[in-house]
Amino acid sequence: MRHTISLLVENEYGMLTRVAGLFSARGYQIDTLNVAPTLEEGVSRMTLTTHGNDHVIQQILQQSHKLIKVLEVTDMTAAPHVEREMVMLTVNAHVGEQRREVLSLVEIFRAKVVDVSNDAFILEMTGNAEKVNAFIELLKPIGILDIVRTGPVAMTRVAHIKAQKVKDDDEEFSELTLNEKV
């Protein structure tokens, strides 16, 4: 099963090598990988996708926690979340019917034309993996000349974060009440 894993890491030289080395040394596959800074200076978020059974994913999570400078590891697949990825494509767009067909797909998928030439467009589209795959499949018969794809980034849904905070506060309150009774 495919899993999306988020790692908050200290943004230091060699961090990406350590994470990639962990996967490589144990024979785990990284399907996609994105790294970008967070709002906190010196901290970056790595979002990677991998696949494996429950035992393999548990090992990945546990081993990632043990890495120096890894601050937090979250299996996003386990909680309600939103995933998006971006794709940029150069497609054939000769004047006439072909150009109209590409523009029609751009509108349907809420994509953007970011560059135009006499016989090609560069398109940009953001969405979940299924939407990106569908867009690509529909453009293949027209002629994709080049493609760049980011792989997913993910965030936990706000409602889940708030519910988890309330649950944590209730548990903390219960412990205080229990301690006060003793």
Side-chain angles (χ1 to χ4, degrees):
M1 180 180 169
R2 178 182 169 271
H3 283 257
T4 303
I5 297 173
S6 172
L7 293 94
L8 279 180
V9 299
E10 291 184 19
N11 189 3
E12 291 186 358
Y13 175 79
M15 195 63 223
L16 179 59
T17 303
R18 275 184 247 149
V19 172
L22 171 109
F23 277 75
S24 174
R26 289 163 178 79
Y28 305 141
Q29 177 71 31
I30 296 176
D31 297 326
T32 65
L33 174 65
N34 284 291
V35 183
T38 63
L39 292 177
E40 188 174 342
E41 190 168 326
V43 176
S44 292
R45 179 178 305 276
M46 292 184 175
T47 305
L48 61 90
T49 58
T50 187
H51 56 274
N53 60 33
D54 290 345
H55 178 70
V56 168
I57 299 302
Q58 272 307 96
Q59 284 184 329
I60 290 172
L61 296 173
Q62 289 171 355
Q63 295 298 320
S64 297
H65 272 292
K66 291 180 183 176
L67 287 174
I68 296 171
K69 311 289 184 182
V70 171
L71 307 172
E72 182 182 308
V73 179
T74 307
D75 181 2
M76 302 297 287
T77 312
H81 67 284
V82 177
E83 282 188 23
R84 293 291 181 266
E85 64 180 279
M86 186 181 90
V87 62
M88 291 178 63
L89 313 106
T90 303
V91 296
N92 285 326
H94 298 283
V95 175
E97 182 61 31
Q98 191 178 53
R99 189 171 282 242
R100 282 190 293 275
E101 188 177 346
V102 171
L103 291 175
S104 174
L105 290 171
V106 164
E107 185 176 330
I108 290 167
F109 281 85
R110 297 183 189 159
K112 294 178 187 169
V113 177
V114 293
D115 190 46
V116 178
S117 71
N118 290 336
D119 58 356
F121 287 148
I122 296 179
L123 308 176
E124 170 193 323
M125 201 271 290
T126 305
N128 61 28
E130 293 78 22
K131 182 179 175 183
V132 170
N133 289 336
F135 190 56
I136 292 168
E137 288 303 315
L138 290 170
L139 288 170
K140 277 183 180 176
I142 297 169
I144 297 173
L145 305 173
D146 198 8
I147 184 169
V148 179
R149 197 170 172 171
T150 63
V153 292
M155 293 186 82
T156 304
R157 290 192 176 271
V158 175
H160 181 74
I161 293 170
K162 288 181 179 177
Q164 189 64 41
K165 183 170 176 13
V166 168
K167 183 179 172 187
D168 291 347
D169 289 347
D170 287 347
E171 287 176 6
E172 187 175 305
F173 178 75
S174 296
E175 287 176 18
L176 285 175
T177 305
L178 181 63
N179 287 337
E180 289 171 357
K181 288 180 181 176
V182 174

PDB file of all heavy atoms in Angstrom, residues 50-63:
ATOM      1  N   THR A  50       6.105   6.250  -0.229  1.00  0.00           N
ATOM      2  CA  THR A  50       6.725   4.940  -0.305  1.00  0.00           C
ATOM      3  C   THR A  50       5.613   3.905  -0.292  1.00  0.00           C
ATOM      4  O   THR A  50       4.435   4.261  -0.180  1.00  0.00           O
ATOM      5  CB  THR A  50       7.713   4.721   0.869  1.00  0.00           C
ATOM      6  OG1 THR A  50       8.423   3.497   0.674  1.00  0.00           O
ATOM      7  CG2 THR A  50       7.004   4.706   2.211  1.00  0.00           C
ATOM      8  N   HIS A  51       5.968   2.675  -0.418  1.00  0.00           N
ATOM      9  CA  HIS A  51       4.951   1.632  -0.356  1.00  0.00           C
ATOM     10  C   HIS A  51       5.514   0.435   0.408  1.00  0.00           C
ATOM     11  O   HIS A  51       6.725   0.257   0.516  1.00  0.00           O
ATOM     12  CB  HIS A  51       4.489   1.223  -1.755  1.00  0.00           C
ATOM     13  CG  HIS A  51       5.607   0.776  -2.643  1.00  0.00           C
ATOM     14  ND1 HIS A  51       6.354   1.657  -3.390  1.00  0.00           N
ATOM     15  CD2 HIS A  51       6.124  -0.440  -2.883  1.00  0.00           C
ATOM     16  CE1 HIS A  51       7.270   0.988  -4.061  1.00  0.00           C
ATOM     17  NE2 HIS A  51       7.159  -0.282  -3.771  1.00  0.00           N
ATOM     18  N   GLY A  52       4.606  -0.325   0.955  1.00  0.00           N
ATOM     19  CA  GLY A  52       4.990  -1.514   1.708  1.00  0.00           C
ATOM     20  C   GLY A  52       3.846  -1.963   2.589  1.00  0.00           C
ATOM     21  O   GLY A  52       2.851  -1.247   2.749  1.00  0.00           O
ATOM     22  N   ASN A  53       4.016  -3.134   3.189  1.00  0.00           N
ATOM     23  CA  ASN A  53       2.971  -3.617   4.102  1.00  0.00           C
ATOM     24  C   ASN A  53       3.096  -2.883   5.441  1.00  0.00           C
ATOM     25  O   ASN A  53       4.018  -2.084   5.645  1.00  0.00           O
ATOM     26  CB  ASN A  53       3.054  -5.136   4.262  1.00  0.00           C
ATOM     27  CG  ASN A  53       4.395  -5.590   4.820  1.00  0.00           C
ATOM     28  OD1 ASN A  53       5.013  -4.882   5.615  1.00  0.00           O
ATOM     29  ND2 ASN A  53       4.856  -6.751   4.393  1.00  0.00           N
ATOM     30  N   ASP A  54       2.196  -3.169   6.367  1.00  0.00           N
ATOM     31  CA  ASP A  54       2.170  -2.458   7.647  1.00  0.00           C
ATOM     32  C   ASP A  54       3.483  -2.603   8.406  1.00  0.00           C
ATOM     33  O   ASP A  54       3.970  -1.653   9.023  1.00  0.00           O
ATOM     34  CB  ASP A  54       1.007  -2.954   8.507  1.00  0.00           C
ATOM     35  CG  ASP A  54      -0.343  -2.540   7.957  1.00  0.00           C
ATOM     36  OD1 ASP A  54      -0.379  -1.638   7.085  1.00  0.00           O
ATOM     37  OD2 ASP A  54      -1.363  -3.119   8.377  1.00  0.00           O
ATOM     38  N   HIS A  55       4.084  -3.797   8.355  1.00  0.00           N
ATOM     39  CA  HIS A  55       5.347  -4.035   9.060  1.00  0.00           C
ATOM     40  C   HIS A  55       6.465  -3.147   8.491  1.00  0.00           C
ATOM     41  O   HIS A  55       7.228  -2.532   9.252  1.00  0.00           O
ATOM     42  CB  HIS A  55       5.724  -5.519   8.963  1.00  0.00           C
ATOM     43  CG  HIS A  55       7.013  -5.858   9.614  1.00  0.00           C
ATOM     44  ND1 HIS A  55       7.181  -5.835  10.988  1.00  0.00           N
ATOM     45  CD2 HIS A  55       8.233  -6.191   9.085  1.00  0.00           C
ATOM     46  CE1 HIS A  55       8.432  -6.154  11.274  1.00  0.00           C
ATOM     47  NE2 HIS A  55       9.084  -6.377  10.134  1.00  0.00           N
ATOM     48  N   VAL A  56       6.557  -3.065   7.182  1.00  0.00           N
ATOM     49  CA  VAL A  56       7.590  -2.242   6.537  1.00  0.00           C
ATOM     50  C   VAL A  56       7.391  -0.773   6.881  1.00  0.00           C
ATOM     51  O   VAL A  56       8.344  -0.065   7.229  1.00  0.00           O
ATOM     52  CB  VAL A  56       7.577  -2.459   5.005  1.00  0.00           C
ATOM     53  CG1 VAL A  56       8.413  -1.410   4.284  1.00  0.00           C
ATOM     54  CG2 VAL A  56       8.060  -3.864   4.665  1.00  0.00           C
ATOM     55  N   ILE A  57       6.158  -0.299   6.820  1.00  0.00           N
ATOM     56  CA  ILE A  57       5.888   1.111   7.125  1.00  0.00           C
ATOM     57  C   ILE A  57       6.221   1.413   8.582  1.00  0.00           C
ATOM     58  O   ILE A  57       6.827   2.456   8.882  1.00  0.00           O
ATOM     59  CB  ILE A  57       4.416   1.465   6.797  1.00  0.00           C
ATOM     60  CG1 ILE A  57       4.134   1.252   5.299  1.00  0.00           C
ATOM     61  CG2 ILE A  57       4.089   2.894   7.217  1.00  0.00           C
ATOM     62  CD1 ILE A  57       5.011   2.038   4.345  1.00  0.00           C
ATOM     63  N   GLN A  58       5.890   0.506   9.486  1.00  0.00           N
ATOM     64  CA  GLN A  58       6.244   0.705  10.909  1.00  0.00           C
ATOM     65  C   GLN A  58       7.753   0.797  11.070  1.00  0.00           C
ATOM     66  O   GLN A  58       8.254   1.631  11.826  1.00  0.00           O
ATOM     67  CB  GLN A  58       5.706  -0.446  11.771  1.00  0.00           C
ATOM     68  CG  GLN A  58       4.294  -0.233  12.262  1.00  0.00           C
ATOM     69  CD  GLN A  58       4.099   1.092  12.986  1.00  0.00           C
ATOM     70  OE1 GLN A  58       3.653   2.061  12.368  1.00  0.00           O
ATOM     71  NE2 GLN A  58       4.435   1.160  14.243  1.00  0.00           N
ATOM     72  N   GLN A  59       8.493  -0.050  10.366  1.00  0.00           N
ATOM     73  CA  GLN A  59       9.959   0.006  10.439  1.00  0.00           C
ATOM     74  C   GLN A  59      10.484   1.339   9.905  1.00  0.00           C
ATOM     75  O   GLN A  59      11.390   1.933  10.492  1.00  0.00           O
ATOM     76  CB  GLN A  59      10.571  -1.136   9.637  1.00  0.00           C
ATOM     77  CG  GLN A  59      10.472  -2.471  10.322  1.00  0.00           C
ATOM     78  CD  GLN A  59      11.170  -3.562   9.526  1.00  0.00           C
ATOM     79  OE1 GLN A  59      11.227  -3.497   8.302  1.00  0.00           O
ATOM     80  NE2 GLN A  59      11.678  -4.555  10.230  1.00  0.00           N
ATOM     81  N   ILE A  60       9.922   1.799   8.801  1.00  0.00           N
ATOM     82  CA  ILE A  60      10.341   3.088   8.233  1.00  0.00           C
ATOM     83  C   ILE A  60      10.102   4.207   9.243  1.00  0.00           C
ATOM     84  O   ILE A  60      10.978   5.046   9.483  1.00  0.00           O
ATOM     85  CB  ILE A  60       9.596   3.370   6.909  1.00  0.00           C
ATOM     86  CG1 ILE A  60      10.091   2.430   5.815  1.00  0.00           C
ATOM     87  CG2 ILE A  60       9.742   4.830   6.492  1.00  0.00           C
ATOM     88  CD1 ILE A  60       9.278   2.489   4.525  1.00  0.00           C
ATOM     89  N   LEU A  61       8.924   4.220   9.858  1.00  0.00           N
ATOM     90  CA  LEU A  61       8.599   5.277  10.825  1.00  0.00           C
ATOM     91  C   LEU A  61       9.538   5.215  12.029  1.00  0.00           C
ATOM     92  O   LEU A  61      10.067   6.239  12.470  1.00  0.00           O
ATOM     93  CB  LEU A  61       7.142   5.162  11.268  1.00  0.00           C
ATOM     94  CG  LEU A  61       6.091   5.383  10.167  1.00  0.00           C
ATOM     95  CD1 LEU A  61       4.696   5.069  10.684  1.00  0.00           C
ATOM     96  CD2 LEU A  61       6.150   6.793   9.619  1.00  0.00           C
ATOM     97  N   GLN A  62       9.754   4.029  12.563  1.00  0.00           N
ATOM     98  CA  GLN A  62      10.623   3.885  13.741  1.00  0.00           C
ATOM     99  C   GLN A  62      12.071   4.259  13.424  1.00  0.00           C
ATOM    100  O   GLN A  62      12.719   4.962  14.208  1.00  0.00           O
ATOM    101  CB  GLN A  62      10.549   2.455  14.273  1.00  0.00           C
ATOM    102  CG  GLN A  62       9.232   2.132  14.935  1.00  0.00           C
ATOM    103  CD  GLN A  62       9.080   0.650  15.272  1.00  0.00           C
ATOM    104  OE1 GLN A  62       9.936  -0.160  14.925  1.00  0.00           O
ATOM    105  NE2 GLN A  62       7.987   0.311  15.944  1.00  0.00           N
ATOM    106  N   GLN A  63      12.574   3.797  12.282  1.00  0.00           N
ATOM    107  CA  GLN A  63      13.955   4.113  11.913  1.00  0.00           C
ATOM    108  C   GLN A  63      14.122   5.607  11.617  1.00  0.00           C
ATOM    109  O   GLN A  63      15.153   6.192  11.954  1.00  0.00           O
ATOM    110  CB  GLN A  63      14.380   3.281  10.689  1.00  0.00           C
ATOM    111  CG  GLN A  63      14.441   1.793  10.956  1.00  0.00           C
ATOM    112  CD  GLN A  63      15.470   1.438  12.020  1.00  0.00           C
ATOM    113  OE1 GLN A  63      16.554   2.002  12.055  1.00  0.00           O
ATOM    114  NE2 GLN A  63      15.108   0.515  12.908  1.00  0.00           N
TER     115      GLN A  63
END
